[in-house]
Amino acid sequence: MINRNKIIDTEIFHQEMGKLIFSFNQIVETVKYNTKELLVYYVLIKKIISNATSANILIYESYINESKMVLRSAVETVILITYLTQFPEKINDYLDEAQIIKIKNNFIVFNSTKEGEPIDIEGNTCTKEQLSQQNKRCFETIQESAKAKILKGIGIKDFKITEDNCEKFNKYFKNFKPEFMKYEKMYKELDRVGFKLKDVFEYSLRDIVYGFYNDSSQIAHGCFLDWHHKIELNQKEAEYLFHFFIKATLFLKVLLKGTINFNTEASKLYLLDMKQAHENLEKLIYGKVLKH
């Protein structure tokens, strides 16, 4: 019988997980991302790797629950990248939405800043006109399709925030609801086209990630008693986090099969390193290598 309360050597867990993440990152870097779609996938994959690396540092410091909050961000990106690989025609809409969110955030800063209000610790101030010009310069950097959506939504021809049209901006951004943050909707659309993790088992993406995502969401949004205190890494937590890491990183090789070929000649040694680190983690947690 497995002793679920057995204390796991945090340093070894951190080292082996670090090797796993590092090797996966090296494999990702062996691929050529020479199309717009592949470049989008690359940026999202690197975000997942960054989240996993940050979570691994938190685990080493014994901030287990904080690591789950960071891995939640990784799981959100796993959902998004899976969705975009199944609906690549929506990538441009995703990029538009991401840029509209940036403009929205800039507007919120403009709208919440009072004339002459200090904007930094040294007491420097910025006028509303200066903020408006900063917003306009940022607007000019986004892609044309995103610009067109913003101007049409606000009902103006030229992007400039004034006292007369400020309320139009405010109304538009208040009503703007990002489609690519609606994870339940994405699950349903993936189910509609019959997406399954067939190389692993006949489960939907929601079946695989929902329990982990929901638990970490509860920690992130309201479980005050779970925040910022150190927890010893026992067998139960180590197993949970190990599975979480696998779902947030290594599953990408399965999820992206047919979209990105990670099995390049240059990746072979890193694949062996990943396999070894994976087995070492199983030995650490379960006392043996599991059958797959």
Side-chain angles (χ1 to χ4, degrees), residues 16 19-20 23-24 27 253 262-280:
E16 295 300 328
K19 292 175 186 176
L20 203 61
S23 299
F24 180 66
I27 290 170
K253 288 181 85 278
F262 290 120
N263 296 316
T264 62
E265 187 66 28
S267 73
K268 286 182 178 179
L269 286 176
Y270 296 117
L271 285 167
L272 290 174
D273 289 341
M274 283 181 66
K275 182 175 183 293
Q276 185 61 61
H278 192 283
E279 290 180 354
N280 288 344

Side-chain angles (χ1 to χ4, degrees), residues 18-63:
K19 292 175 186 176
L20 203 61
I21 297 167
F22 173 80
S23 299
F24 180 66
N25 182 61
Q26 295 304 108
I27 290 170
V28 169
E29 294 296 340
T30 66
V31 178
K32 290 184 178 179
Y33 302 90
N34 51 10
T35 68
K36 181 179 182 178
E37 292 77 16
L38 288 175
L39 189 56
V40 169
Y41 301 148
Y42 173 74
V43 172
L44 293 174
I45 292 168
K46 294 294 283 189
K47 175 187 176 293
I48 292 168
I49 292 170
S50 176
N51 289 153
T53 301
S54 301
N56 196 32
I57 293 170
L58 286 166
I59 291 168
Y60 181 70
E61 298 293 336
S62 297
Y63 292 117

